[in-house]
Amino acid sequence: IMVIVRTKFGAKKFSTFKFGSTPDLYVEINGIEKTVHDIIIEDILTSEINTASFILDDTYTNRPLNGQDVKIYRLINAVSTLIFAGTISNITPAKLSGNDFSFAVDCLDYTHALDKLLVAEDYVNKTAYYIINDIVAKYASGFTLSNVPSLASPLIQSIQFNYMPVSECVRALAELTGD
């Protein structure tokens, strides 16, 4: 089993992490754990979309489908930590024999889903948390605020979003608040 996690700093610099031959990683597709190999995760530390890819050997009947949810976890001391979450963006099948296939699966993190949604809002004298909460409620139902700090959220005097993708709005608020 090959597992590589690349953390990208800027345009061309990568930090690559290779796990041993039996890493404590597992993959779920639509909530069902699957046995996969040759996992590569590119964790890009900019505003770009993170990606993951892996090989899944299965029957054609059990093939993965574009748009299915993918979560990759790392198990450390019996505690699972989510290290990638997104959806399948591309599948390349290769027939092995009979009904058995090898599927090369490419995934994009959930940021790509946020970029399809455009925000047109003005906020005056609202906290950053209020603004993010409002944007998520109006434009990104199904997403959570689990990693957004709510306490001591700075007050934003005025900000305007003119048909900006949700992820750009969140980035603009993060830059404004220094987060």
Side-chain angles (χ1 to χ4, degrees):
I1 295 175
M2 173 186 72
V3 177
I4 298 174
V5 176
R6 293 182 181 140
T7 302
K8 184 176 180 183
F9 304 93
K12 295 188 178 182
K13 297 177 184 174
F14 283 95
S15 175
T16 303
F17 304 93
K18 292 184 180 179
F19 297 94
S21 60
T22 56
D24 294 327
L25 294 181
Y26 64 95
V27 174
E28 289 181 355
I29 299 176
N30 272 4
I32 299 170
E33 189 172 336
K34 298 286 187 172
T35 301
V36 303
H37 55 93
D38 295 348
I39 301 170
I40 298 175
I41 299 171
E42 291 188 359
D43 185 17
I44 303 170
L45 299 179
T46 63
S47 59
E48 296 178 45
I49 295 171
N50 295 332
T51 63
S53 62
F54 53 85
I55 305 295
L56 169 66
D57 297 327
D58 212 330
T59 63
Y60 188 77
T61 305
N62 293 325
R63 70 191 177 281
L65 302 172
N66 280 333
Q68 286 183 314
D69 283 327
V70 172
K71 292 184 179 167
I72 302 175
Y73 295 90
R74 183 165 185 210
L75 189 63
I76 302 172
N77 298 325
V79 176
S80 293
T81 302
L82 182 67
I83 60 172
F84 178 86
T87 58
I88 295 174
S89 61
N90 188 54
I91 304 156
T92 305
K95 189 168 187 164
L96 298 174
S97 65
N99 196 29
D100 295 327
F101 283 78
S102 182
F103 301 96
V105 179
D106 297 321
C107 307
L108 300 173
D109 74 7
Y110 289 127
T111 303
H112 81 283
L114 287 177
D115 287 344
K116 295 177 183 177
L117 307 165
L118 301 179
V119 176
E121 298 286 342
D122 295 323
Y123 297 96
V124 177
N125 292 325
K126 301 292 183 190
T127 65
Y129 183 79
Y130 174 89
I131 295 168
I132 290 174
N133 190 46
D134 188 61
I135 290 171
V136 169
K138 290 179 180 176
Y139 298 93
S141 62
F143 287 86
T144 68
L145 298 173
S146 59
N147 292 319
V148 178
S150 61
L151 298 175
S153 179
L155 187 67
I156 307 298
Q157 288 183 345
S158 177
I159 193 165
Q160 183 177 36
F161 301 116
N162 292 317
Y163 299 97
M164 291 175 58
V166 172
S167 64
E168 286 184 28
C169 297
V170 172
R171 259 189 302 283
L173 284 167
E175 287 173 12
L176 203 60
T177 62
D179 287 334

